[in-house]
Amino acid sequence: MIDVKEILGQAEEKMEEAVMYLEEALAHIRAGKANVKILDGVRVDSYGSLVPINNVASVTTPDARTIAIKPWDKNMFRAIEKAIMDSSVGITPENNGEIIRLGIPPLTEERRKALAKQCKGEAEQAKVSIRNSRRDIIEKLKKGIKDGLSEDLEKDAEADLQKMHDRYIKKVDDLYAAKEKEIMTV
C-alpha cells in the first residue's frame, strides 16, 4: 500500500523546487538596477579553467547604477573584460587599471515591457511544473486505490494536494508581481 504522507511530501518538494527555480531565474533578469546576480552566468578563463567572476574578483554594487569588479590578480583584467563582452549581459565594461566598472543603463519602456514578458514566461513555466507535479501525484493516488488505499483517504489526500497546489501557485504569482513592479518602476 502507498504512503499518502510520503507522496504528498514528494509533491511539496517538487513544487518548492519550481518556486526556487523561478526565484533564481527572476534574479538573473536585469531590472534597471545594479544587481551582481546578472554576472552569475559569466565564466572567466582563469589559468585554463572556466570559473565564475566572483571566484577571481570581488563584485560589488557601489550605487544603484554601477557594478564594480575588483580582480584579486592584476593579470585577470583582460580575461574578465573578455568574458563580460562575450556574455549575454549586454554591457560594455570600463577599466581604469584598478577596477572594472559596469554602468547599468536605464531601461527604455519597450525594454521594460520585454523583460516583464520574459518574467511572465518564467512564472508560467513554474506554474506548469507545479501543475504537472499535482497531476502526477493524483495519478499515483488513483493507482493507490487499486492497491488497497481507501477512497476516503484518497479524496482527503487530493484535497490536501489541491491546497498545497494553490499555495505554491500564489507564491509564483507573488514573485512575478514583485518582479514586474521592480521592472516597471522607473
Side-chain angles (χ1 to χ4, degrees):
M1 195 159 108
I2 63 171
D3 183 7
V4 174
K5 283 185 180 176
E6 183 182 320
I7 286 180
L8 290 177
Q10 290 172 359
E12 186 158 24
E13 194 175 305
K14 285 182 180 176
M15 291 178 187
E16 185 64 40
E17 285 174 9
V19 170
M20 287 176 7
Y21 172 81
L22 177 64
E23 287 174 338
E24 187 69 23
L26 292 180
H28 286 91
I29 296 175
R30 187 162 59 99
K33 300 193 276 241
N35 182 353
V36 296
K37 288 247 185 214
I38 65 172
L39 295 175
D40 282 356
V42 179
R43 298 285 184 251
V44 179
D45 183 13
S46 173
Y47 304 107
S49 61
L50 293 176
V51 296
I53 285 183
N54 59 6
N55 284 12
V56 295
S58 64
V59 182
T60 58
T61 53
D63 60 61
R65 293 261 179 239
T66 310
I67 296 176
I69 304 166
K70 186 167 174 53
W72 297 318
D73 182 358
K74 298 273 188 205
N75 299 331
M76 294 305 297
F77 274 100
R78 286 244 188 276
I80 291 172
E81 284 183 326
K82 182 178 183 333
I84 293 170
M85 294 291 277
D86 293 345
S87 73
S88 62
V89 173
I91 302 170
T92 306
E94 301 166 19
N95 175 357
N96 69 2
E98 291 289 315
I99 293 177
I100 298 171
R101 281 189 172 68
L102 298 177
I104 309 295
L107 297 173
T108 63
E109 187 65 27
E110 188 178 299
R111 182 72 177 133
R112 286 179 196 281
K113 287 179 181 172
L115 288 173
K117 190 174 181 180
Q118 182 183 351
C119 290
K120 186 170 182 66
E122 293 287 354
E124 202 51 50
Q125 191 176 352
K127 285 182 180 181
V128 167
S129 178
I130 290 169
R131 289 184 196 117
N132 285 344
S133 60
R134 177 186 59 176
R135 184 197 63 222
D136 294 345
I137 297 304
I138 287 175
E139 285 175 11
K140 281 185 182 178
L141 290 170
K142 298 275 188 220
K143 286 181 184 170
I145 290 177
K146 293 175 186 167
D147 295 340
L149 181 70
S150 75
E151 285 189 27
D152 289 344
L153 267 176
E154 189 266 343
K155 290 293 176 202
D156 290 345
E158 255 188 65
D160 291 345
L161 182 64
Q162 186 61 43
K163 286 177 191 168
M164 185 188 312
H165 166 270
D166 294 344
R167 192 173 70 237
Y168 280 102
I169 291 291
K170 183 174 178 356
K171 276 186 183 180
V172 167
D173 287 338
D174 292 346
L175 283 170
Y176 167 66
K179 187 64 176 187
E180 184 181 40
K181 183 180 178 198
E182 181 185 342
I183 287 172
M184 290 308 196
T185 304
V186 179

